[in-house]
Amino acid sequence: MNFDLSEDQLALRDGIRALCRGRFTSERIRKGFDQAMHEELESTGVFSLRADGFGWAEAAITFEELGRAVVPGPLVWTHLAHGVADGTISGLARPEPGAAAFIEHLVTADVIAVLDDDGVSLVPTDAIREAAALDWPLDPLTPVHRVEALPAGERVAGADVAAMWRRGGGVLTAAFQIGMAQACTDAATEYALARRQFDRPIGSFQAVKHLLADMVVRAEVARAAVHAAAVTLDDPGVCDLDRVLAGARLLAAEAALKNAKSSMQVHGGMGFTWESDVHLFLKRAWVLNTAFGSANEHADALAARL
């Protein structure tokens, strides 16, 4: 496969990157997701990309840039549900009978999309407004509510659409993760060149060089895997879609989490304070590792196809 970006894809990438740099600064990101952020992304076409004639490959490029800026919000679900529901859409896989449901961004969502083996259902947020907010969510920019009994909702699509959303959601989440992995690499490199010890940049020390080199390799390998998964989703006849998707999720999740930890180490450990942007990436990496299947589930899926 040729993963070189076309001129249109480069223009799309550069446009989203410019949007994030200009509007989604660290100060803005720390305020969390809100309606204004939704409107800015919607007007840019982030949620309607595939309806506008682009494919999963272009959507993955877009979400990689959003991940680079660690933009908060139920972005993947809102993209998936475009054309099925209006506004901001959060979502989840329907929990087992009797189990509680944990819903992200409930307060800012207009509707909740619920996936199960039979299809997609929509649950109005008004029906679960009494849900309890978790006092200490893992990522403060990803607020979570607990719902003891999730309503059945209105069935709006069948099992084929639910399966497509699971796969597409996995690809876009992985794309977001490789954007985060690249941002952590860039931040660590910049700091290693600027911070000096013994009258030398710390990036000149062998131990730091190794950390940075490993970060670059993890991000690049994961990017190739995610782009392969995205183009395969556009053309499923190319190879085993579920195998390439599981591999992409595993590599992207590893790159996002390990690069965030390595960046924190290069920054001298100060990423353990909320004031450091590295902390935003580490916490989001932990949260995303549970989205659209855990690492263990994807590892099992990959092993079953080898």
Side-chain angles (χ1 to χ4, degrees):
M1 293 181 182
N2 180 5
F3 296 140
D4 292 340
L5 302 187
S6 67
E7 290 187 6
D8 287 345
Q9 290 174 331
L10 287 172
L12 174 65
R13 183 201 65 183
D14 294 344
I16 300 298
R17 186 175 297 180
L19 169 75
C20 292
R21 283 179 174 170
R23 300 190 182 184
F24 302 143
T25 61
S26 174
E27 292 75 16
R28 176 79 183 278
I29 293 299
R30 288 170 178 275
K31 294 178 181 177
F33 181 77
D34 55 23
Q35 183 61 29
M37 187 174 288
H38 171 93
E39 291 175 358
E40 287 179 88
L41 293 169
E42 185 177 46
S43 64
T44 308
V46 167
F47 304 128
S48 61
L49 264 175
R50 288 181 298 110
D52 294 337
F54 293 97
W56 288 105
E58 286 75 21
I61 292 169
T62 300
F63 274 77
E64 180 178 346
E65 295 305 318
L66 297 175
R68 187 188 290 265
V70 72
V71 178
L75 309 181
V76 171
W77 284 102
T78 303
H79 177 94
L80 293 173
H82 179 79
V84 176
D86 296 325
T88 300
I89 297 92
S90 187
L92 74 164
R94 184 172 294 282
E96 296 294 327
F102 294 89
I103 303 175
E104 300 174 354
H105 297 285
L106 175 61
V107 173
T108 52
D110 296 296
V111 67
I112 307 300
V114 183
L115 303 185
D116 57 36
D117 292 339
D118 296 325
V120 181
S121 301
L122 296 181
V123 176
T125 51
D126 289 342
I128 46 179
R129 285 296 185 193
E130 300 303 321
L134 300 189
D135 292 334
W136 299 99
L138 183 57
D139 173 15
L141 297 181
T142 307
V144 178
H145 282 69
R146 177 187 175 107
V147 180
E148 297 302 332
L150 190 64
E154 177 188 2
R155 181 73 73 191
V156 294
D160 55 337
V161 174
M164 187 270 287
W165 282 23
R166 288 192 186 93
R167 290 166 170 161
V171 167
L172 298 186
T173 300
F176 196 98
Q177 289 171 316
I178 60 173
M180 294 171 57
Q182 186 61 53
C184 289
T185 305
D186 295 343
T189 303
E190 181 179 356
Y191 184 80
L193 292 173
R195 181 78 166 89
R196 301 179 71 87
Q197 283 285 331
F198 308 111
D199 204 28
R200 297 168 54 188
I202 63 171
S204 65
F205 299 130
Q206 193 75 0
V208 178
K209 286 181 181 178
H210 284 174
L211 283 174
L212 296 175
D214 287 343
M215 294 170 73
V216 170
V217 171
R218 276 195 293 267
E220 287 299 318
V221 171
R223 179 176 291 109
V226 172
H227 286 190
V231 298
T232 305
L233 201 55
D234 283 325
D235 185 5
V238 173
C239 61
D240 185 337
L241 175 58
D242 289 327
R243 184 179 66 182
V244 72
L245 174 58
R249 285 304 315 275
L250 283 173
L251 289 169
E254 181 186 46
L257 185 56
K258 288 190 175 181
N259 281 18
K261 290 181 177 179
S262 294
S263 184
M264 186 179 297
Q265 187 174 353
V266 172
H267 280 79
M270 68 179 181
F272 272 104
T273 68
W274 185 243
E275 288 73 18
S276 172
D277 286 349
V278 179
H279 201 93
L280 307 182
F281 288 88
L282 180 62
K283 294 230 166 179
R284 190 69 58 80
W286 276 327
V287 168
L288 291 181
N289 278 357
T290 65
F292 295 97
S294 67
N296 288 339
E297 290 170 337
H298 289 297
D300 289 342
L302 183 60
R305 287 168 169 77
L306 293 179

